[in-house]
Amino acid sequence: MPKSFKTMTKRTKIIATISPQTGAPEFLSQLFEAGVNVIRINTAHQDIDGAKTLINNIRNANNAAAILVDTKGPEVRTSSFGVPVKVNKGDRIFIKGDKNGTCECNTVFVNYDDFVNEIPIGNRVLIDDGDIELMVIDKNDDALICEVKNSGEIKLRKGVNVPGVELKLPAISDKDRAFIEFAIESELDFIAHSFVQHASDILEIKALLNEKQSLIKVIAKIENQTGVDNIDAIIEVSDGIMVARGDLGIEIPIERIPVIQREIVRKCVRMNKPVIIATQMLHTMITNPRPTRAEVTDVATAVHEKADALMLSGETAMGAYPIEAVNVMTRVICESEKLLDTYILRPRIASNSVLSVLAQAAVSACETLPIKAIIVDTLTGRTANYIAAYRGKTPVYAFCYSEMVRRQMALTFGVEAYTINKKDSRDRFLTEILERLIAENKVALSDTVTVIGGSFGPTNGASFITIASVENLAYYNKS
């Protein structure tokens, strides 16, 4: 049986990144108590053996927790061999493509063999989150000749960004493929794929999942201009979107990031897809016990924009104040949600479907009637996602027919999920869920609730909506 944890009143979900240094079961239990809904494992800094240990610890802490594995994606990094290269403004250095190359003196190697061929003269090359900026002033057959724009040190294994250039890297690396297979074997819940540029990148991962009949959901991380340009097609084929503002803020002028974030959230909400805001939400809490006012405002802004989830990275993976960071985020979310309005009359994708009409009717009814809860049963999570997309203020309780779907609801705004066995009638379904919600003090006999369900079995989708008191529903189904 899943361990029970303190129920949070927030509707916006929290994702926490963990590492081998912060992956003990006792620490994880504290994260869940503080308000974490999903645990993220970053494979860019992790091998499979280490990931196995982390997953065992997560399941020992809370075997009902959702787990998201974050692939490395098609990225370019400086070589792992050699020594850091110190540079001064105005220096000229060489960049070569060879993953086995040795960095030294005035030569830096990167792990992409065709790097020199694909980077044009006049382009910028940014290293280590933009800490070092280089300008390509010339090139020969095997090297880019670059002018250093600011002094510093080019370290080993650091990320390399080339704004405005779409590199011809494979969408899935060998390491990604190994981790995807591992995620399938481990029955994890989400794969967040890095540096997605085209819908085909997501479809390639889904083909691997389909081969193994896996129900893992795929989240597309948007981290460059090409991904932004193709966002509509990417949203269409993805199970959710992550606005990964770290690399995005390097690839795109920083002043455009708030506008892009807002637009992506809006598109995802309209298309019933969960959307995550990530990177440096409470970055100063890696080393300080209190966030800046700007960081608090950043969290509140993401809530007001109606993101499904917010993600902590270094704050919980290596920070000195991880539990405090989650507590701060939970408090800011709860306070900010007091002012959330509801999407009721917004145009919606598939607005002519039965499910969409039922979902809108359910949320609309909660705006005018004293309804305590919306109750749904869902085979895939689709019904709950449709209701959540309207961002209503009434709690949504989703009863799922599998543990994986129940865990996957941990990423959906305002939904609290349970598992339930398949019932052969609507009455049996209602009887069981009402008893469970009453037992947990989620509803009382005198409360009015809205129920969305299917009259023709869970595989045939939602077909009815009922608004009634719990007492009347319970009496009717027992008689």
Side-chain angles (χ1 to χ4, degrees):
M1 291 294 292
K3 296 181 181 181
S4 61
F5 289 84
K6 180 174 62 179
T7 300
M8 306 305 301
T9 58
K10 66 181 177 62
R11 290 171 286 163
T12 307
K13 306 299 179 66
I14 295 176
I15 304 170
T17 305
I18 63 167
S19 65
Q21 292 73 36
T22 60
E26 299 80 9
F27 171 75
L28 292 166
S29 295
Q30 290 179 289
L31 288 180
F32 292 124
E33 290 284 357
V36 168
N37 304 98
V38 180
I39 296 293
R40 169 182 176 249
I41 298 174
N42 184 4
T43 67
H45 308 291
Q46 185 69 64
D47 59 25
I48 286 178
D49 287 339
K52 287 179 181 178
T53 300
L54 291 178
I55 289 166
N56 288 334
N57 287 349
I58 294 167
R59 288 176 171 163
N60 286 334
N62 179 1
N63 61 7
I67 301 175
L68 179 150
V69 62
D70 196 323
T71 63
K72 185 170 173 284
E75 66 175 348
V76 178
R77 286 184 176 270
T78 55
S79 173
S80 299
F81 305 102
V83 296
V85 175
K86 292 184 178 180
V87 294
N88 293 306
K89 183 177 180 181
D91 286 352
R92 293 193 177 186
I93 66 169
F94 299 93
I95 299 181
K96 299 184 178 182
D98 182 355
K99 63 183 177 181
N100 298 314
T102 301
C103 298
E104 57 184 355
C105 299
N106 64 346
T107 303
V108 174
F109 285 86
V110 298
N111 64 351
Y112 181 41
D113 291 345
D114 289 331
F115 192 76
V116 174
N117 294 331
E118 296 182 18
I119 308 303
I121 296 172
N123 217 90
R124 293 186 303 152
V125 176
L126 304 176
I127 299 175
D128 197 1
D129 291 336
D131 284 353
I132 301 294
E133 180 180 351
L134 311 174
M135 177 65 69
V136 180
I137 59 174
D138 203 354
K139 65 194 295 187
N140 55 40
D141 290 342
D142 69 344
L144 298 176
I145 302 169
C146 301
E147 181 180 329
V148 179
K149 291 299 182 181
N150 62 285
S151 302
E153 186 175 65
I154 300 175
K155 301 174 184 176
L156 304 179
R157 296 180 294 278
K158 293 301 180 180
V160 178
N161 295 85
V162 190
V165 177
E166 183 178 345
L167 300 174
K168 298 178 177 64
L169 290 160
I172 305 176
S173 68
D174 291 340
K175 182 176 182 179
D176 293 339
R177 197 174 299 272
F179 261 102
I180 289 168
E181 292 175 358
F182 167 70
I184 294 170
E185 293 168 3
S186 304
E187 297 184 341
L188 304 187
D189 306 295
F190 301 99
I191 293 171
H193 190 53
S194 298
F195 299 101
V196 171
Q197 300 185 88
H198 303 277
S200 58
D201 299 346
I202 296 298
L203 294 175
E204 192 171 339
I205 295 177
K206 288 199 168 187
L208 296 176
L209 298 177
N210 291 337
E211 286 178 10
K212 301 293 180 69
Q213 298 182 320
S214 172
L215 298 177
I216 295 174
K217 292 192 173 182
V218 183
I219 307 298
K221 294 178 66 177
I222 304 301
E223 304 184 71
N224 53 39
Q225 184 64 57
T226 306
V228 173
D229 292 341
N230 297 319
I231 189 63
D232 290 338
I234 292 171
I235 294 173
E236 186 69 37
V237 300
S238 301
D239 299 306
I241 297 293
M242 181 187 295
V243 185
R245 304 178 304 178
D247 281 279
L248 193 62
I250 300 168
E251 294 274 344
I252 293 175
I254 197 73
E255 66 273 13
R256 293 187 56 213
I257 300 303
V259 176
I260 290 170
Q261 171 178 313
R262 184 181 181 89
E263 183 66 11
I264 291 177
V265 172
R266 186 187 67 83
K267 287 176 179 287
C268 288
V269 169
R270 292 188 61 201
M271 295 177 73
N272 313 308
K273 302 293 179 74
V275 56
I276 303 160
I277 304 301
T279 316
Q280 296 184 336
M281 301 296 297
L282 297 172
H283 187 70
T284 58
M285 292 194 74
I286 293 176
T287 55
N288 296 287
R290 290 173 58 84
T292 66
R293 291 168 180 80
E295 288 170 333
V296 169
T297 301
D298 185 35
V299 172
T301 297
V303 173
H304 293 150
E305 290 174 349
K306 299 184 171 69
D308 286 82
L310 312 182
M311 193 173 89
L312 295 168
S313 298
E315 298 94 333
T316 51
M318 61 181 185
Y321 302 95
I323 305 302
E324 292 86 347
V326 178
N327 279 323
V328 166
M329 182 168 276
T330 296
R331 295 200 307 271
V332 176
I333 287 172
C334 290
E335 191 67 25
S336 301
E337 286 180 345
K338 293 177 182 179
L339 296 178
L340 280 185
D341 58 354
T342 304
Y343 285 140
I344 289 295
L345 301 177
R346 299 276 306 213
R348 297 291 310 287
I349 299 295
S351 59
N352 60 341
S353 72
V354 171
L355 177 53
S356 182
V357 171
L358 291 177
Q360 181 170 340
V363 179
S364 296
C366 294
E367 294 295 297
T368 55
L369 297 172
I371 294 172
K372 187 67 176 288
I374 298 174
I375 302 168
V376 303
D377 70 328
T378 182
L379 186 66
T380 64
R382 184 164 165 261
T383 301
N385 280 327
Y386 262 77
I387 294 170
Y390 285 100
R391 297 302 193 259
K393 299 180 181 180
T394 303
V396 179
Y397 300 112
F399 287 81
C400 310
Y401 296 103
S402 78
E403 277 294 319
M404 177 175 280
V405 173
R406 189 205 61 74
R407 293 193 302 267
Q408 289 171 341
M409 289 290 95
L411 206 57
T412 301
F413 179 92
V415 174
E416 185 170 344
Y418 300 79
T419 51
I420 187 173
N421 295 324
K422 291 183 180 180
K423 302 298 177 184
D424 54 11
S425 73
R426 166 191 167 187
D427 292 349
R428 287 194 179 188
F429 157 70
L430 283 173
T431 298
E432 180 174 333
I433 64 173
L434 290 172
E435 288 176 350
R436 290 175 68 175
L437 293 176
I438 291 171
E440 294 187 14
N441 295 317
K442 299 293 176 60
V443 299
L445 286 173
S446 59
D447 289 334
T448 300
V449 297
T450 295
V451 178
I452 297 179
S455 300
F456 310 106
T459 59
N460 291 302
S463 60
F464 72 84
I465 180 170
T466 298
I467 301 175
S469 70
V470 173
E471 184 175 25
N472 284 345
L473 288 169
Y475 175 81
Y476 172 80
N477 289 301
K478 287 182 179 179
S479 60

